[in-house]
């Protein structure tokens, strides 16, 4: 298993001849299996410290709530679903599940948090994946059971499934949701200018001094960037890539991004980055990158249009770069 690399990272750039950069406060932590960075610009140090600490505390709470293979509220729900039982969850988790259902339906189930059992079969429900291709019959069995978010029933705070194969993994949703929560927390602490980076999922507030926040888009096979991108207030960036969690067997790469239609990791893409603005920008940037990545480069323009994604940059399995016209105009 290769170590996690970050799809985007913060490039704190200011003009060479500027008198001095604006005051910048940074706090880092390791949450959601990746490095998290909170950068706050122009706020007094005590205020920035308190705001960043509140954000990181929220991230830790979400991580403990949504962990798919360690004891958590989500893992307890999965155990109940496997037994065919109804169970009561917190209002917060119930709301997240409804939201994830909506994104799943819109993506024709290519964003499918119900395939947690399949992800576990591939060995990605551990800190050190098994680096072994599962038995073909076992994969076929999981695909045939067709677990979908539509099988999940949520009535008030009671959850059950009409399909016992449903096992929830919100790994493709949690980081985006965390970004939206971070933006709300920072604003509640009076922070106007900040950048939050969760291992390649990024949201911007305000600006970095007199210029926008600038991030770099990681090349999936080389060190360095494909391009840089200036983010406006409220914009979020999500990246899906086969270089983040994967193992290799006989020279073939198997990533954690699994196509629910085949049961195998997707092979048509190396990376895909989307830029999203507006309500739930963080959540949507995370969830929307998954179906676009999984369905491949050929259908990328049509899928992006259907899902309302105007800004994307992708690298296909052959290393070819695909950029939407809108994104091309934004790249540096």
């Amino acid at each position: 298993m290769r170590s996690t690399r970050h799809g985007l990272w913060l490039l704190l750039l200011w003009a060479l001849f500027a008198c001095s950069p604006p005051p910048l406060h940074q706090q880092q932590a390791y949450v959601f299996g990746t490095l998290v960075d909170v950068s706050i610009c122009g706020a007094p140090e005590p205020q920035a410290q308190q705001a960043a600490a509140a954000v990181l505390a929220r991230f830790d709470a979400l991580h403990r709530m949504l962990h798919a293979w360690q004891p958590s509220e989500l893992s307890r729900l999965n155990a109940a679903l496997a037994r065919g039982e109804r169970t009561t969850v917190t209002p917060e988790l119930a709301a997240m599940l409804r939201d994830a259902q909506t994104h799943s339906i819109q993506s024709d189930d290519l964003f499918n948090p119900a395939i947690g059992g399949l992800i576990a079969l591939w060995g990605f429900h551990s800190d050190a994946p098994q680096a072994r291709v599962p038995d073909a019959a076992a994969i076929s069995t999981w695909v045939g059971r067709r677990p979908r978010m539509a099988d999940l029933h949520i009535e008030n705070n009671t959850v059950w499934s009409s399909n016992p194969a449903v096992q929830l993994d919100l790994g493709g949703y949690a980081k985006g949701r965390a970004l939206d929560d971070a933006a709300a927390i920072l604003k509640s602490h009076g922070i106007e200018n900040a950048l939050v980076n969760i291992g390649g999922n990024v949201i911007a507030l305000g600006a970095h001094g007199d210029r926008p926040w600038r991030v770099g888009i990681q090349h999936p096979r080389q060190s360095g960037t494909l391009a840089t991108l200036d983010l406006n207030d409220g914009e979020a960036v999500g990246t899906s890539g086969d270089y983040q969690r994967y193992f290799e067997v006989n020279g073939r790469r198997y990533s954690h991004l699994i196509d629910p239609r085949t049961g195998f990791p997707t092979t048509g893409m190396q990376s895909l980055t989307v830029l999203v603005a507006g309500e739930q920008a963080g959540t949507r940037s995370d969830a929307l990158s998954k179906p676009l990545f999984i369905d491949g480069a050929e259908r990328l323009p049509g899928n992006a249009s259907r899902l309302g994604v105007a800004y994307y940059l992708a690298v296909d399995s052959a290393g070819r770069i695909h950029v939407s016209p809108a994104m091309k105009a934004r790249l540096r």
Side-chain angles (χ1 to χ4, degrees):
M1 175 66 188
R2 304 295 177 89
S3 61
T4 301
R5 293 164 58 195
H6 307 307
L8 269 79
W9 65 86
L10 177 61
L11 301 177
L12 298 174
L13 301 178
W14 41 76
L16 180 61
F17 298 108
C19 294
S20 64
L24 186 75
H25 173 84
Q26 285 185 279
Q27 285 184 226
Q28 294 183 330
Y30 195 80
V31 191
F32 304 117
T34 193
L35 183 68
V36 170
D37 182 284
V38 181
S39 299
I40 297 172
C41 179
E45 184 67 12
Q47 180 187 10
Q49 268 188 346
Q50 186 179 42
V55 167
L56 295 178
R58 174 57 177 165
F59 288 175
D60 184 63
L62 282 173
H63 177 75
R64 287 184 283 106
M65 176 195 297
L66 302 177
H67 206 293
W69 65 87
Q70 292 180 1
S72 68
E73 185 178 3
L74 187 68
S75 66
R76 290 190 293 274
L77 171 58
N78 278 334
L81 295 177
R83 295 190 298 265
E85 297 175 357
R86 298 183 178 219
T87 191
T88 300
V89 300
T90 60
E92 183 174 31
L93 181 56
M96 289 183 193
L97 294 175
R98 292 188 190 96
D99 192 35
Q101 274 187 326
T102 299
H103 290 295
S104 184
I105 292 167
Q106 289 173 345
S107 74
D108 291 335
D109 295 320
L110 291 182
F111 168 70
N112 187 357
I115 63 167
L118 190 57
I119 295 170
L121 181 67
W122 276 93
F124 289 109
H125 276 183
S126 70
D127 295 326
Q130 64 192 11
R132 178 177 59 81
V133 177
D135 179 73
I139 296 171
S140 180
T141 296
W142 270 105
V143 172
R145 297 173 77 184
R146 296 190 66 225
R148 300 173 302 154
M149 290 300 289
D151 298 326
L152 202 65
H153 304 280
I154 308 164
E155 187 174 292
N156 296 322
N157 300 322
T158 300
V159 181
W160 71 98
S161 174
S162 53
N163 182 349
V166 169
Q167 288 288 282
L168 298 166
D169 183 323
L170 292 174
Y173 174 92
K175 289 189 290 185
R177 169 60 186 261
L179 289 180
D180 289 330
D181 287 357
I185 290 168
L186 291 168
K187 289 176 183 176
S188 74
H189 281 76
I191 302 299
E192 298 179 352
N193 304 293
L195 191 77
V196 182
N197 180 1
I198 306 176
N201 292 75
V202 179
I203 196 164
L205 292 182
H208 179 238
D210 60 358
R211 56 189 56 80
W213 291 103
R214 179 167 291 183
V215 297
I217 300 175
Q218 170 70 44
H219 195 293
R221 294 293 186 270
Q222 303 171 17
S223 60
T225 60
L226 282 169
T228 57
L229 177 66
D230 288 347
L231 297 184
N232 298 320
D233 181 41
E235 290 184 331
V237 176
T239 295
S240 291
D242 70 356
Y243 56 90
Q244 295 169 327
R245 277 178 62 81
Y246 72 94
F247 62 86
E248 291 183 352
V249 174
N250 297 325
R252 180 174 176 180
R253 180 180 302 226
Y254 297 91
S255 85
H256 71 295
L257 292 160
I258 295 173
D259 187 336
R261 300 168 298 189
T262 67
F264 279 81
T266 302
T267 59
M269 288 279 205
Q270 294 180 12
S271 69
L272 182 134
T273 296
V274 298
L275 169 68
V276 175
E279 188 177 357
Q280 283 194 307
T283 301
R284 290 187 294 118
S285 69
D286 196 9
L288 288 170
S289 68
K290 307 304 182 294
L292 298 181
F293 182 95
I294 289 170
D295 215 24
E298 263 186 39
R299 289 173 289 278
L300 179 55
N303 283 336
S305 177
R306 180 174 62 84
L307 293 173
V309 177
Y311 301 92
Y312 64 79
L313 183 153
V315 181
D316 67 23
S317 57
R320 293 181 293 259
I321 297 174
H322 306 257
V323 188
S324 68
M327 181 69 107
K328 187 175 182 180
R330 292 285 300 270
L331 297 177
R332 300 296 178 186

